Amino acid sequence: MSVVEQYARAHIVTDEETQDPGAVPVVLRYDPDNDPRSVRFGLPGPHEWTFSRALLEKGLRAPAESGDVRVWPCGRVQAVVEFHSPGGVEVVQFDAKALVRFLRRTYTAEPIRN
């Protein structure tokens, strides 16, 4: 097993007074051959973020941040990932168990050896 790719549903948190768009698909990706310390989150549209796998793990237990990404638990079953860019902030809420399952899979993935 090399690349780990998992699809998750998440809610984009917004302060707009429009109707909640519901859950959106997010692609969680880990490639130990390319960057064994990082994970990628692909949000709808051209939005993709790469950040430390350790940050995701820490943020599921207690608030953690590194650079433009913050992660924290939200209650007992949710987790929030906040992405900052020059264009604004995206706040995404996940079921924590989906992120835990993804992390577990990343730790069993091994680089392809030639």
Side-chain angles (χ1 to χ4, degrees):
M1 174 186 245
S2 180
V3 174
V4 173
E5 190 168 273
Q6 178 177 311
Y7 295 86
R9 309 268 314 151
H11 287 272
I12 306 294
V13 179
T14 177
D15 62 357
E16 293 179 14
E17 292 186 25
T18 59
Q19 214 174 22
D20 179 9
V24 298
V26 178
V27 179
L28 312 174
R29 186 173 171 83
Y30 172 71
D31 185 350
D33 293 317
N34 184 34
D35 189 354
R37 292 190 174 120
S38 297
V39 293
R40 290 191 294 173
F41 279 39
L43 303 175
H47 307 276
E48 184 171 276
W49 294 85
T50 301
F51 58 96
S52 162
R53 179 171 62 166
L55 173 64
L56 179 59
E57 185 175 348
K58 288 177 189 175
L60 290 172
R61 294 187 309 267
E65 68 178 275
S66 178
D68 296 333
V69 180
R70 295 182 179 108
V71 182
W72 67 89
C74 181
R76 295 181 349 164
V77 298
Q78 300 287 312
V80 174
V81 183
E82 183 178 284
F83 304 101
H84 292 256
S85 72
V89 177
E90 289 190 76
V91 180
V92 186
Q93 188 173 23
F94 292 88
D95 283 337
K97 67 182 176 182
L99 299 179
V100 168
R101 185 172 41 250
F102 171 67
L103 275 173
R104 283 186 184 145
R105 290 180 64 209
T106 69
Y107 287 114
T108 62
E110 294 187 17
I112 295 175
R113 308 245 189 257
N114 291 335

